[in-house]
Every structure is written in C-alpha cells, then in structure tokens.
Amino acid sequence: MKIALITENSQAAKNAIIHEALTDVAEPLGHQVFNYGMYSAEDAASLTYVMNGLLTGILLNSGAADFVVTGCGTGMGSMLACNAMPGVFCGLVIDPTDAFLFGQINDGNAISMPYAKGFGWAAELNLRDVYGKLFDGERGLGYPRERAEIMRTNRGILKDLKAASCHDMLTVLKTVDQDLLKAAIAGERFAEYFYANATDHEMAAYLKGITG
C-alpha cells in the first residue's frame, strides 16, 4: 500500500517525528511511505488544513496514494477538508482504539490526527501504536465480528451516497480556486512522488498544465 503523509503549517515542525513513527511501523509491514511535507515551519510551500484536504483528494483519486495520514492542531479541520473531497473517507483518530475501530468498521482511506491537542510526553509512542492498529493486518473485518456484513453494506451505501453528492475529482480540479490548487501542489517533493505514482493520466496532465 502507498501511504502519503501530509502535514499542515501549524504542525510542520513535528513532521519528522510523525514521519519516523509512520515509516518505522508501516515499512516493515510492506507498505511504502511518501512524505509530501510540510517538512518544517520554514518551508517555502505552506499548506493549510484546507489544502490538506484538497491534496488528499488529489492523491487518492489519482491513484498516487492508497491511504493518507494527515492532521492539524485538533485533527478536526483536516478531517472536514478531506471529507469534502470525492472518494475520500477520513476518520478522526486520536488513539489506538480509534484506529482499530476505524479500520475494522469504516475501512476508510484517510485519517486525521491532532498534533497539538493532547500531543505531549510519549506522543510518539501513541503514534506508533495508532499506525500499528491501522496498518497491521486486514481491515474492514467488522467489530464486533457478527456485525461485519451490515457494516460492509453501510460502507457501500455511504460510498454511493458520496458519489451522488460530489463532483468527480477532475471537475473539482478545474473548478476550484486555481491559486489554492497551485499552492496545494507546490510542495518540494510533490512532482517527484506524484507523477511517478499517479495512474489517472487526465488528472496528472491537468496538474502539469497549470504548473507549466
């Protein structure tokens, strides 16, 4: 699985801590981690939590990523922005129990975490435990197990509802504020990671077009 990490400006200084915890857990399980930044508070390209959502939509809908790990001070803003995107099902995850239940019941493709609220002593241990619950083993099995089928059915209904209520991602790219879009993909390693992994050639061509 291709996992993308996105960090917004208010929490950019913690990117290295988050990235280390994520790679230490996910890579031994056979997953690839792509760090889309921000890498520090001094980065030339600055991401807001709104841009986190837009970038998450781009990565998941293009096939450049299979799962996105993002967040902000409380995790709320990034979660809301992510869920505004077509095809993105983002959960607010604070602790390992949240991660386990989200993975088993909702089986979404993105999580948003709080990196300021409650992020204190031993926070890196909580990150590792969250990622372990999320990425080790099969997701979507249901909890409790006897409700697995109804949970699977509800996930399908939610997916259909979202498809009916949202534009496709290419339409989003063409109609969203273009300055906002350019800022969201201005990260230092976006082009390196995105164009090597994206499978939606129309989306890739459009983004290349607006960035010259």
Side-chain angles (χ1 to χ4, degrees):
M1 184 162 60
K2 294 175 291 188
I3 303 169
L5 172 63
I6 305 171
T7 314
E8 52 88 63
N9 51 21
S10 77
Q11 304 305 312
K14 296 168 184 166
N15 176 270
I17 297 171
I18 301 163
H19 182 243
E20 181 180 6
L22 181 57
T23 53
D24 283 354
V25 172
E27 290 187 347
L29 296 171
H31 306 301
Q32 293 177 284
V33 176
F34 297 90
N35 187 357
Y36 280 84
M38 297 173 61
Y39 307 102
S40 75
E42 288 74 42
D43 282 14
S46 182
L47 290 170
T48 65
Y49 75 81
V50 179
M51 293 176 193
N52 282 8
L54 183 55
L55 183 52
T56 296
I58 291 169
L59 298 179
L60 291 175
N61 283 280
S62 68
D66 303 305
F67 198 97
V68 171
V69 173
T70 188
C72 53
T74 64
M76 296 285 191
S78 290
M79 178 195 68
L80 291 170
C82 286
N83 283 321
M85 295 293 105
V88 179
F89 299 90
C90 181
L92 177 65
V93 169
I94 298 172
D95 58 35
T97 302
D98 290 340
F100 173 78
L101 294 174
F102 177 70
Q104 294 305 314
I105 297 171
N106 309 107
D107 193 18
N109 52 14
I111 63 165
S112 180
M113 295 191 69
Y115 297 125
K117 179 179 178 289
F119 198 90
W121 188 69
E124 76 282 1
L125 300 181
N126 183 61
L127 291 177
R128 291 171 189 268
D129 289 342
V130 163
Y131 302 144
K133 288 292 187 184
L134 200 57
F135 298 121
D136 189 7
E138 186 178 353
R139 293 186 299 126
L141 296 178
Y143 186 85
R145 291 288 189 263
E146 59 269 21
R147 290 183 53 81
E149 187 55 41
I150 191 168
M151 290 171 180
R152 188 177 300 111
T153 299
N154 284 332
R155 288 197 300 270
I157 294 169
L158 179 59
K159 186 176 181 180
D160 291 343
L161 176 62
K162 184 140 194 171
S165 65
C166 289
H167 295 295
D168 64 276
M169 196 65 206
L170 185 58
T171 299
V172 173
L173 296 183
K174 290 178 177 179
T175 55
V176 74
D177 181 288
Q178 297 298 282
D179 289 334
L180 179 70
L181 176 57
K182 289 175 186 177
I185 62 172
E188 179 183 340
R189 296 188 178 96
F190 175 83
E192 174 190 350
Y193 293 158
F194 178 78
Y195 295 112
N197 289 288
T199 57
D200 188 307
H201 302 302
E202 281 190 279
M203 284 181 58
Y206 185 78
L207 293 177
K208 277 186 179 178
I210 66 166
T211 56

